[in-house]
Amino acid sequence: MMGVTRRLPVTMVRGAGARLWDDGGREYLDFVGGWAVNVLGHAHPAMVDAITQQARTLIHTSNQVYTVPQVQLAGLLVNNSCLDRAFFCNSGAEAGEGAVKLARRYGKLRLNGAYEVITSTSSFHGRTLAMTAATGQQKFQEPYVPLPEGFVNVPYDDIDAIRKATGDRTCAVMLEPVQGEGGVNVPGDGYLKDVRSWCDQRGIVLILDEVQTGMGRTGTLFAYQQFGVEPDIMTLAKGLGGGMPIGAILAKEKFSVFAPGEHGTTFGGNPLACAAAHAVLKYVLDNGIVEHCSRIGKYLKDRLEGLKSKHDIIVDVRGRGLLLAMGFSADVAEQVVKRCLDEGLLLNMVKPNAVRFMPPLIITEGDVDEAMGIVDKVLSQLEIQA
Ligand SMILES: Cc1ncc(COP(=O)(O)O)c(C=O)c1O
């Protein structure tokens, strides 16, 4: 295998709920959730049943025909969001690519050929070449220059920067409502509303990348709902399939301008992935999972704040719902992640000086207490050694 990811020295073989087991039978509490994917945890019966039944019925067809799971999933998504049309793909990067193509198509048809997309620094939109250009982080871009043209990266949470960067060539602004990979950054009050008004004033498209924040993760089904704005185009992936690979572009009718043949996919929206995603979304909606996430997210944040008042090395606790980060005054995140693993807790280093918490949305207060006990112990040992 190519060494593209710094993996932890552990091989996982089984999961159930918020727990994972390695090949030696050791149990771990999973606060990474497959990088914000396993919204219902591991081996959830609703998902397992849907996948099993669909696998026995119909796994794949071409998109030359309709299938029931795809239509059902599209229906559930548009009925529970402000968007009207869905296109399914296989990943977050692919959803971002498609969203930019859609905005460019809109630019060609309605904005005199405008094609440029304004994105923000410290963002993350995926690993394809165009999404690398959209991702405003030097470390991801530098190894691959020259990158595709048509992207302008401006500082996040700075409406004036967006206003200044907007010109005749601009067709869209693309943002994460809360930045995930960039460090879990929540914008200031009013930023997204200001961006929305600016896009309306200029007649340009607002794309919200909810690949990480969607599916209840931040305490509302979609993060845009807590910022008082509606996107014109939204991307989803990660939690959408709860662990089955699937992505989606959702668009308002006015912006749904692809004509037949202008975009497409072989695997995107296949019945197996759509049946899984439909089962996940239906379970989330029918069982108060979003409300649970909001409640348990506050509980986790309070517990993290509690640790902050005890450990001087913690400088801040940030995020919404169950997308939270703890920032340190030194680059100790890698060490914290390794030591937590030794204690049976899986965590993510989001920056050298910050760890991220993005567990399954179904975790309990008991899970949080157990995880916080481990983090407390690890930080105490670090401080003794420092
Ligand atoms: C906000 C956001 N957009 C896009 C992506 C890319 O998704 P994928 O890895 O499925 O291509 C990610 C992945 O972390 C993400 O966090």
Side-chain angles (χ1 to χ4, degrees):
M1 295 191 295
M2 295 190 191
V4 295
T5 307
R6 271 195 208 97
R7 293 176 200 256
L8 295 167
V10 63
T11 304
M12 297 303 182
V13 295
R14 188 166 71 85
R19 310 271 156 173
L20 284 167
W21 285 266
D22 71 14
D23 54 357
R26 174 134 199 244
E27 183 179 316
Y28 301 83
L29 186 50
D30 181 9
F31 268 46
V32 174
W35 288 335
V37 166
N38 303 100
V39 291
L40 299 184
H42 302 280
H44 193 284
M47 255 190 96
V48 174
D49 290 351
I51 292 170
T52 310
Q53 199 184 336
Q54 190 59 43
R56 284 207 188 93
T57 311
L58 183 66
I59 290 181
H60 181 82
T61 65
S62 75
N63 277 310
Q64 227 172 293
V65 297
Y66 290 99
T67 66
V68 174
Q70 193 179 123
V71 175
Q72 282 181 331
L73 176 60
L76 215 49
L77 283 168
V78 302
N79 288 334
N80 287 283
S81 71
C82 64
L83 291 316
D84 305 307
R85 298 266 175 183
F87 171 87
F88 295 108
C89 53
N90 310 284
S91 68
E94 223 185 308
E97 287 274 339
V100 166
K101 282 177 77 179
L102 188 57
R104 281 196 177 190
R105 197 71 200 105
Y106 184 82
K108 264 213 168 27
L109 294 168
R110 312 261 192 276
L111 302 171
N112 299 315
Y115 62 90
E116 215 163 66
V117 178
I118 299 172
T119 68
S120 63
T121 53
S122 64
S123 64
F124 189 84
H125 298 290
R127 303 286 194 158
T128 59
L129 280 173
M131 287 306 99
T132 300
T135 293
Q137 296 195 57
Q138 181 72 14
K139 68 174 177 187
F140 294 121
Q141 295 186 344
E142 199 275 326
Y144 301 106
V145 286
L147 291 168
E149 282 177 42
F151 294 91
V152 184
N153 309 140
V154 302
Y156 190 58
D157 204 9
D158 181 346
I159 181 64
D160 285 337
I162 289 179
R163 287 192 182 120
K164 277 197 203 107
T166 307
D168 291 342
R169 290 187 304 226
T170 310
C171 71
V173 176
M174 180 174 180
L175 297 169
E176 294 155 87
V178 174
Q179 290 185 330
E181 305 300 309
V184 186
N185 309 314
V186 182
D189 287 345
Y191 172 64
L192 289 169
K193 275 192 180 158
D194 288 345
V195 177
R196 177 69 275 177
S197 313
W198 180 248
C199 289
D200 289 341
Q201 206 177 316
R202 298 293 302 227
I204 57 179
V205 183
L206 176 58
I207 305 172
L208 288 185
D209 178 341
E210 294 237 22
V211 164
Q212 186 152 157
T213 54
M215 296 297 288
R217 172 67 47 193
T218 64
T220 45
L221 186 60
F222 304 109
Y224 75 76
Q225 293 164 323
Q226 54 188 289
F227 289 99
V229 297
E230 290 188 357
D232 303 313
I233 298 175
M234 176 169 79
T235 56
L236 296 175
K238 287 192 181 280
L240 177 60
M244 281 293 276
I246 183 168
I249 309 167
L250 301 181
K252 291 209 170 180
E253 191 66 47
K254 178 180 169 191
F255 299 92
S256 182
V257 293
F258 282 142
E262 287 181 354
H263 195 52
T265 168
T266 296
F267 290 119
N270 103 7
L272 191 62
C274 285
H278 180 261
V280 173
L281 182 52
K282 192 158 173 5
Y283 189 91
V284 164
L285 293 169
D286 292 348
N287 292 277
I289 299 299
V290 178
E291 297 73 18
H292 176 78
C293 169
S294 169
R295 211 167 38 246
I296 203 88
K298 285 196 182 86
Y299 183 71
L300 173 57
K301 200 170 187 184
D302 283 350
R303 294 296 311 263
L304 291 169
E305 293 285 358
L307 290 181
K308 178 170 171 275
S309 46
K310 182 172 172 192
H311 298 283
D312 290 343
I313 198 166
I314 304 175
V315 290
D316 72 342
V317 172
R318 51 190 193 255
R320 293 270 171 101
L322 284 171
L323 180 57
L324 297 170
M326 190 161 80
F328 302 115
S329 56
D331 289 351
V332 295
E334 192 172 2
Q335 230 181 323
V336 170
V337 169
K338 278 191 179 142
R339 290 180 184 215
C340 282
L341 183 79
D342 291 341
E343 298 291 333
L345 172 67
L346 205 55
L347 278 189
N348 171 257
M349 173 177 89
V350 69
K351 293 188 128 198
N353 64 355
V355 291
R356 181 170 38 163
F357 301 82
M358 45 186 167
L361 307 188
I362 45 91
I363 55 161
T364 62
E365 288 189 4
D367 294 330
V368 171
D369 293 343
E370 189 181 330
M372 292 305 97
I374 293 173
V375 174
D376 188 16
K377 180 177 168 191
V378 163
L379 291 178
S380 301
Q381 286 169 353
L382 264 186
E383 280 165 346
I384 290 166
Q385 282 166 13

